[in-house]
Amino acid sequence: MEEFRRINRLPPYIFSIIDNLKLQSRREGEDIIDLGMGNPDLPTPKPVVDKLIEAVQNPKNHRYSVSRGIYKLRLAITNWYRRNYNVDLDPDSEAIVTMGAKEGLSHMALSIVGPGDVVLVPNPAYPIHPYSVVIAGGDLMSFPIGKGYDFFEQLMKAVKRTWPKPKLLIISFPNNPTTAVVDLDFFKKIVDFARDNKCLVIHDLAYADLVFDDYRAPSLLQVPGAKDIGVEFFSMSKSYSMPGWRVGFAVGNQRMIAALARLKSYFDYGMFQPIQIASIIALNEIQDAVKEITAVYKNRRDVLVEGLNKIGWEIEKPKATMFVWAPIPEKFKQMGSLDFSKVLLKEGKVAVSPGIGFGEYGEGYVRFALVENEHRIRQAVRGIKGVL
């Protein structure tokens, strides 16, 4: 039989090894505290659910929708940007609704990247960032980020060893998995880099709202001229606690938005319209709920990091995201992140994500997702103390 070449370029998901061990342990009756997958556990705010129920009862909303998202939702998106970042966007030509940021970003890559196109992606990274390039048939060029690496120094090194010159740069701040944050000057340098190298940019702003300790995450589009070189994605999964709803959007460069819109017009008819209507309520009316959700993650962060520090696992508190990126304790470092994750699962009854799953430069770390309540997180710390 013929080979499925695109599928063969995708390696097995490393996280599935831990998932399978977790499932096996639970079948054996073990109480496993799952801090692995970043699957938000908080309920979707009631006004959003109520609006969904109301919209579902209208038969007109049961028909096909539109692949780029209904106009009122695109208008709510552009108004959200104006309120939060003082950025003006055209809801018709500079905004598009996607089925989560993951679908949107992967289809954006598919619409603008082809064989022979070089795409720069930092490493470690959320897996769809590099693998969207692989799926699109492009040439992936990674460069290391994190402690001990200067982002722009590594970026320029990657450019110098790249031919042809890069067509696209994919970045995400606040970053998953490293939790690194940046300021607006960082994005000014990104825009300058893109102009100098005639390169497009995709920025994933999924964790814009989940920020702590007076930090505020900037938007790429706050930089004058940013719309000339790129787009920005946002997901409603995290700060609006709507992960299963699959709502995201992209805004920015008109040509890139138009390319994604054309591709999506062949792939889908848009998400279920009641979900889009409820999302309008979310963007327009529940900012207090977003603050409450953020406060829950902050408290969980404090419980986990302070608890681990007390038992001798020294970790800095992240300023953003729903994760903690933890260097493996020195005496366990030699076993690597995958085997260390297995030990935490088998002996500590805690599931985490091995850093190697996010790329080769993620080795030496594990990622905790703050998706259990404070009582369970304290229980996890006690389990980890037994391992250490």
Side-chain angles (χ1 to χ4, degrees):
M1 291 179 68
E2 288 185 24
E3 288 188 1
F4 300 147
R5 291 182 183 174
R6 184 164 285 131
I7 299 303
N8 287 343
R9 291 189 72 193
L10 298 174
Y13 222 42
I14 282 181
F15 304 121
S16 64
I17 297 171
I18 299 298
D19 286 341
N20 291 336
L21 287 172
K22 177 181 68 185
L23 187 61
Q24 182 183 332
S25 296
R26 282 179 168 167
R27 282 175 177 163
E28 292 169 359
E30 299 283 6
D31 178 20
I32 302 297
I33 300 168
D34 190 359
L35 304 179
M37 182 181 176
N39 189 0
D41 63 312
L42 299 173
T44 303
K46 190 174 183 298
V48 184
V49 177
D50 290 345
K51 191 65 180 181
L52 174 74
I53 293 168
E54 177 191 316
V56 163
Q57 291 169 341
N58 184 346
K60 288 182 179 178
N61 292 326
H62 299 177
R63 305 181 70 185
Y64 289 132
S65 186
V66 286
S67 59
R68 63 186 309 173
I70 59 176
Y71 176 76
K72 284 188 177 179
L73 178 51
R74 284 183 278 122
L75 185 62
I77 289 164
T78 56
N79 287 338
W80 184 86
Y81 259 88
R82 188 175 296 111
R83 284 195 313 272
N84 287 349
Y85 302 108
N86 198 28
V87 171
D88 288 322
L89 293 155
D90 181 350
D92 285 321
S93 63
E94 295 176 331
I96 187 169
V97 180
T98 61
M99 295 178 186
K102 190 175 183 179
E103 175 271 320
L105 195 148
S106 56
H107 280 154
M108 177 66 82
L110 194 61
S111 63
I112 64 176
V113 173
D117 289 336
V118 175
V119 181
L120 299 170
V121 183
N123 183 320
Y126 181 53
I128 197 58
H129 294 171
Y131 287 109
S132 65
V133 179
V134 173
I135 291 166
D139 294 334
L140 175 66
M141 173 64 76
S142 295
F143 61 95
I145 60 168
K147 240 177 188 174
Y149 294 105
D150 179 280
F151 182 94
F152 288 98
E153 184 182 307
Q154 296 301 322
L155 176 60
M156 294 315 298
K157 279 184 182 176
V159 171
K160 284 174 183 173
R161 64 177 192 265
T162 298
W163 186 260
K165 290 299 181 186
K167 181 172 188 176
L168 176 66
L169 168 67
I170 301 177
I171 55 174
S172 178
F173 293 98
N175 185 260
N176 174 19
T178 71
T179 73
V181 297
V182 298
D183 57 18
L184 192 57
D185 282 343
F186 177 92
F187 286 135
K188 289 176 182 174
K189 291 180 183 176
I190 290 290
V191 172
D192 289 342
F193 166 83
R195 282 179 174 149
D196 292 345
N197 291 276
K198 297 181 172 58
C199 172
L200 298 173
V201 176
I202 293 175
H203 178 232
D204 186 353
L205 189 60
Y207 299 94
D209 295 323
L210 294 186
V211 291
F212 320 120
D213 306 333
D214 298 323
Y215 173 72
R216 184 159 183 214
S219 162
L220 171 70
L221 298 184
Q222 287 176 279
V223 180
K227 285 194 285 187
D228 297 334
I229 55 91
V231 296
E232 190 163 72
F233 279 89
F234 181 77
S235 166
M236 298 185 70
S237 297
K238 284 79 179 179
S239 49
Y240 290 88
S241 209
M242 297 169 63
W245 299 56
R246 308 311 304 129
V247 187
F249 52 82
V251 294
N253 183 269
Q254 290 187 8
R255 287 187 64 216
M256 295 172 74
I257 296 294
L260 178 56
R262 181 176 291 191
L263 190 73
K264 281 176 65 63
S265 71
Y266 283 90
F267 280 168
D268 67 73
Y269 288 111
M271 70 188 71
F272 188 39
Q273 195 149 292
I275 291 177
Q276 297 190 58
I277 293 168
S279 298
I280 295 169
I281 297 299
L283 289 172
N284 287 344
E285 298 181 16
I286 65 160
Q287 293 316 298
D288 286 344
V290 171
K291 290 175 184 174
E292 290 168 8
I293 288 166
T294 300
V296 169
Y297 284 116
K298 178 186 180 296
N299 292 338
R300 291 177 178 182
R301 175 204 69 167
D302 292 345
V303 169
L304 178 64
V305 175
E306 289 168 13
L308 292 176
N309 283 340
K310 278 180 186 173
I311 63 172
W313 189 348
E314 293 185 11
I315 301 167
E316 293 178 17
K317 285 183 179 180
K319 288 185 180 294
T321 77
M322 53 185 287
F323 305 110
V324 171
W325 183 239
I328 297 172
E330 200 60 43
K331 68 177 180 178
F332 294 94
K333 259 209 166 91
Q334 61 185 17
M335 69 170 55
S337 60
L338 182 57
D339 284 342
F340 180 62
S341 298
K342 290 178 182 178
V343 169
L344 289 182
L345 181 66
K346 289 176 183 174
E347 298 181 20
K349 312 305 177 192
V350 180
V352 299
S353 295
I356 189 65
F358 301 98
E360 62 181 301
Y361 293 101
E363 187 53 275
Y365 291 81
V366 294
R367 192 196 71 179
F368 292 88
L370 303 170
V371 292
E372 292 269 15
N373 64 42
E374 292 176 32
H375 170 72
R376 295 281 282 170
I377 289 173
R378 289 189 183 95
Q379 185 181 337
V381 170
R382 289 195 294 273
I384 292 167
K385 182 180 180 181
V387 174
L388 299 188

